[in-house]
Amino acid sequence: MKNNKKIALFGGSFDPVHTDHFNMAKTCHDKLGYEEVWIIPTFLNPFKSSTKTSNEERLNLLNLIFEDENYIKINQFEMNNQRVTTTFETVSHFKKMYPEYDFSFVIGSDNLDRLEEWNNFDELINLVDFIVFERSNEYKKDVAIKYSLPIYHFDNNFLSSTKIRNLEELNLLTPKVNDYINYHLLYLQTRMKPFMDEERYQHCLNVGEMAAKLAEINDIDPQQAKVAGTLHDITKRWSEEKQTLYINKYEKALLVEPKPVWHSYTGAFHLKYDWLIRDEEIINAVYNHTVGCEKMSTLDMIVFCADKISSERDYKDVEYYREECFKNLKNGFIKLLINQYEVAIKTHGIDSIGDKLLKTYNFYVKGEK
């Protein structure tokens, strides 16, 4: 006998899941009377060529954002199929498996634009009720009218996964989701790679790997070091105009520092204020990776050194410096600092030495407090 338990099926790429997904699911439960919401991440959306992250990462993010919502069930039916699975197939599967439940299917109003293109649509529209949430004012209202689809409102932040991947409106994203994305270096293909040449991108990846190795032998979280190392040159290829804009905005006094080191400061600002990275140790390590500072932290030294001894570096004596850094981080750091100071003077003259490099050198080499 049918017990009329109401289940909302909520499919999507969730790449990544965001606050609006959360609010739609919560509205289903809290206001529309659905006892459970089954989240069904796709293996691959029929209208998309690929996902940006792995199944594991998307599942981790889903479990993270919904961890306190007992009515949520994460279902891997489509992922387990390892192929494109149509909504018609998914709904048919669940209705066959659980004939005692009343199922509805959640979509955003933006899906109405291509709803009639969905596989087996004529059968699907008679197979399941749709819960349509208004995502914007721009959608095919005639489709909703044609099929008598009610439009529901929810606490809409007008977020999208595309915006998040492109660093837009992250202040509206659940902080723990954003922290996970940053800590696991997700979406570098859209957040970092397009803004630098291939050689610089590979250097950043190499520095991240080198930093992780140094961290392992210095009792520092290797992933934290990998994040700081990978992102250390995030603004290296920014224009001078954009660098100036950020320095003027966040720390105007840095304008007197040599322009070749500006990216360490703008990188730190970019990560803190645009990526919303909340780990100040990572921010400081990026800030200090070019010329250092007095009283460097262990992570600061790791990123400073990893930048100079990354695997693609092939300058004279680089192997010696690598050995020194792995033998004793602080000693290796000081030797690299001396080398940087001497090369800078030899190449560009004493006037090229900025105040920060001079202070770092005097503190660690001359012992001046």
Side-chain angles (χ1 to χ4, degrees):
M1 182 177 177
K2 200 169 186 178
N3 67 4
N4 295 320
K5 185 174 182 179
K6 293 176 65 178
I7 309 291
L9 302 177
F10 192 174
S13 301
F14 303 109
D15 193 16
V17 63
H18 54 70
T19 316
D20 281 356
H21 293 136
F22 178 90
N23 290 340
M24 283 189 275
K26 193 166 182 62
T27 300
C28 285
H29 177 261
D30 293 356
K31 296 182 179 180
L32 301 184
Y34 288 87
E35 295 171 65
E36 293 179 355
V37 179
W38 293 5
I39 305 293
I40 311 166
T42 60
F43 175 73
L44 186 62
N45 186 307
F47 292 113
K48 297 180 181 178
S49 59
S50 66
T51 55
K52 310 301 181 184
T53 52
S54 67
N55 288 352
E56 180 183 5
E57 297 289 15
R58 288 188 292 139
L59 285 171
N60 287 344
L61 285 167
L62 284 167
N63 284 313
L64 183 64
I65 197 171
F66 290 118
E67 62 182 349
D68 298 322
E69 310 302 318
N70 295 329
Y71 59 89
I72 294 289
K73 310 295 180 188
I74 311 296
N75 190 291
Q76 298 182 48
F77 169 70
E78 293 193 10
M79 281 188 170
N80 291 338
N81 280 346
Q82 295 288 299
R83 58 174 172 78
V84 172
T85 304
T86 66
T87 299
F88 177 75
E89 183 180 349
T90 296
V91 172
S92 297
H93 165 79
F94 286 117
K95 287 181 73 72
K96 181 178 179 181
M97 289 290 293
Y98 306 98
E100 70 276 18
Y101 294 162
D102 280 341
F103 289 107
S104 297
F105 197 84
V106 177
I107 62 172
S109 58
D110 49 315
N111 290 123
L112 294 176
D113 293 349
R114 302 186 68 178
L115 186 64
E116 292 176 306
E117 297 177 34
W118 288 19
N119 291 74
N120 303 91
F121 173 74
D122 291 339
E123 297 172 80
L124 178 64
I125 196 66
N126 293 309
L127 183 66
V128 68
D129 291 330
F130 281 86
I131 306 166
V132 185
F133 285 109
E134 186 174 80
R135 297 278 284 130
S136 73
N137 292 321
E138 300 295 326
Y139 64 91
K140 283 194 173 182
K141 296 179 177 64
D142 58 323
V143 173
I145 294 170
K146 180 178 179 180
Y147 297 103
S148 302
L149 302 177
I151 308 296
Y152 297 100
H153 298 276
F154 70 107
D155 188 7
N156 189 356
N157 287 315
F158 302 98
L159 266 178
S160 72
S161 296
T162 301
K163 284 183 178 180
I164 293 165
R165 293 195 297 267
N166 290 317
L167 298 172
E168 297 175 31
E169 301 180 0
L170 294 189
N171 59 303
L172 300 176
L173 182 62
T174 308
K176 60 186 176 182
V177 171
N178 194 54
D179 290 343
Y180 183 98
I181 290 171
N182 288 332
Y183 184 75
H184 293 274
L185 292 170
L186 305 186
Y187 309 118
L188 293 185
Q189 294 290 322
T190 53
R191 292 180 167 193
M192 186 168 84
K193 190 173 184 179
F195 305 103
M196 58 183 65
D197 53 89
E198 183 62 32
E199 183 179 356
R200 180 60 50 182
Y201 182 68
Q202 192 58 53
H203 167 70
C204 289
L205 299 182
N206 291 344
V207 172
E209 294 296 333
M210 185 64 74
K213 291 176 183 177
L214 286 170
E216 287 177 0
I217 60 175
N218 285 281
D219 298 321
I220 295 293
D221 176 9
Q223 185 63 26
Q224 182 192 40
K226 184 176 182 178
V227 172
T230 301
L231 302 180
H232 78 290
D233 272 355
I234 191 70
T235 61
K236 179 77 171 182
R237 292 294 183 248
W238 277 15
S239 67
E240 182 179 323
E241 180 182 8
K242 191 172 183 179
Q243 304 263 9
T244 303
L245 182 68
Y246 267 61
I247 292 175
N248 264 315
K249 183 175 182 179
Y250 296 114
E251 196 174 345
K252 188 174 292 188
L254 293 171
L255 288 171
V256 300
E257 288 293 310
K259 291 178 182 177
V261 306
W262 280 6
H263 70 280
S264 57
Y265 312 127
T266 57
F269 302 145
H270 180 48
L271 295 174
K272 182 172 184 175
Y273 298 110
D274 299 334
W275 291 53
L276 302 187
I277 290 180
R278 299 191 289 178
D279 187 333
E280 289 294 334
E281 293 182 338
I282 289 175
I283 301 300
N284 290 337
V286 173
Y287 187 97
N288 293 320
H289 86 266
T290 52
V291 296
C293 68
E294 300 164 288
K295 300 182 179 179
M296 297 271 281
S297 71
T298 302
L299 183 61
D300 290 347
M301 290 186 184
I302 284 172
V303 177
F304 181 98
C305 294
D307 180 30
K308 280 74 173 173
I309 63 168
S310 56
S311 59
E312 86 288 354
R313 298 283 197 189
D314 60 359
Y315 59 86
K316 182 183 178 183
D317 296 329
V318 65
E319 195 56 49
Y320 163 76
Y321 290 115
R322 287 191 186 115
E323 291 176 5
E324 291 300 303
C325 289
F326 277 91
K327 191 187 305 179
N328 183 290
L329 178 65
K330 185 174 181 180
N331 289 343
F333 159 72
I334 291 174
K335 289 178 179 181
L336 282 167
L337 178 63
I338 292 171
N339 180 64
Q340 179 175 342
Y341 181 85
E342 292 177 347
V343 168
I345 290 179
K346 184 178 180 180
T347 306
H348 302 290
I350 187 67
D351 292 336
S352 71
I353 302 298
D355 186 57
K356 287 188 176 292
L357 178 57
L358 183 61
K359 285 183 177 179
T360 306
Y361 179 84
N362 287 342
F363 183 87
Y364 283 101
V365 180
K366 293 186 176 182
E368 295 180 8
K369 307 300 181 184

